[in-house]
Amino acid sequence: MVAPVLPHLTDSIEHLDGLLGQIAAAGATGVTVFGLHLRGSTRGWFMSWLARSHPELVGRYRELYRRGAYLPPSYRDTLRARAAPLIAKHRLAGDHRPFRQAPQAPGAVAPEAVQPTLF
């Protein structure tokens, strides 16, 4: 999970490209990218931090989160569109994981599958 992506702070193509490159280099084979959620007391704490650290973004964040804790669908679509080619570039779509079945000794009989039970 690549989360939280902070609107106008960590959502640039350059930032995401570098981050996804590092994630791929670390051996990941798939990612999901999520924008920041501002639920409960997190909202007040984050907005106070934003006002101190990036006062120029306070208005943008108020607009983005005016309807609640989650980013609007338009921003989520933009983030998804921005991340998708980078996910493909770094082969993090999760669809290329190699599957290798353990080799079986010559003449060995495969064990019969056992259906597990709940009780």
Side-chain angles (χ1 to χ4, degrees):
M1 297 264 256
V2 175
V5 173
L6 307 177
H8 310 295
L9 289 171
T10 63
D11 64 349
S12 70
I13 290 172
E14 296 77 19
H15 183 89
L16 292 170
D17 189 32
L19 178 61
L20 294 172
Q22 291 175 358
I23 290 168
T29 59
V31 297
T32 303
V33 177
F34 288 104
L36 176 67
H37 300 163
L38 291 177
R39 293 185 293 251
S41 61
T42 302
R43 183 184 191 108
W45 180 89
F46 182 83
M47 293 302 284
S48 293
W49 172 83
L50 190 67
R52 287 189 313 274
S53 301
H54 299 280
E56 72 282 4
L57 294 177
V58 171
R60 287 177 160 180
Y61 271 75
R62 284 188 180 139
E63 180 64 24
L64 282 171
Y65 293 95
R66 74 182 184 279
R67 294 202 170 143
Y70 301 98
L71 288 159
S74 60
Y75 179 87
R76 292 193 309 258
D77 292 343
T78 298
L79 181 59
R80 191 176 306 113
R82 190 174 296 163
L86 300 172
I87 289 169
K89 171 185 173 182
H90 294 289
R91 297 182 44 120
L92 292 169
D95 57 359
H96 67 278
R97 181 179 292 186
F99 175 75
R100 295 187 191 111
Q101 192 167 11
Q104 200 168 1
V109 177
E112 189 175 318
V114 177
Q115 176 66 41
T117 63
L118 290 176
F119 305 101

